[in-house]
Amino acid sequence: MTPQNTILIVDDEDHLRLSLSLILQKEHYHVETAANAEDALSFLKLHEYDLMFLDLNMPRKSGIDLLADVRRQAPHMS
């Protein structure tokens, strides 16, 4: 596996973000995490990701709403 395998985890629950991140890092993925949709969109402006794990039930902006923004901002992730 190469370092290009980068994953963004978006979840408002700290323990879930941490657990999934640790599991994926043990498998040699580069992992970044965001606690909400706004942070995820900021990360997407700065970096490209191969995959995004997304919590659909987040406060303020749901994961479904975030998906529409991601499709516009990072169409390669669709």
Side-chain angles (χ1 to χ4, degrees):
M1 192 168 309
T2 62
Q4 296 94 289
N5 295 322
T6 304
I7 298 172
L8 177 61
I9 300 170
V10 185
D11 197 307
D12 60 313
E13 295 186 38
D14 295 338
H15 68 279
L16 290 175
R17 278 195 324 272
L18 178 61
S19 297
L20 186 53
S21 178
L22 291 172
I23 291 166
L24 291 168
Q25 287 174 13
K26 285 183 182 180
E27 295 298 322
H28 307 288
Y29 288 97
H30 175 78
V31 179
E32 295 184 358
T33 64
N36 55 56
E38 294 81 9
D39 289 348
L41 289 172
S42 294
F43 281 122
L44 286 167
K45 288 179 183 175
L46 300 173
H47 304 99
E48 288 190 15
Y49 299 92
D50 299 302
L51 180 71
M52 181 170 63
F53 282 94
L54 177 59
D55 178 8
L56 298 180
N57 296 312
M58 293 185 290
R60 293 191 309 231
K61 186 173 209 167
S62 76
I64 297 294
D65 293 334
L66 174 59
L67 279 177
D69 294 335
V70 169
R71 292 191 86 181
R72 284 190 296 275
Q73 190 171 321
H76 67 280
M77 290 187 68
S78 301

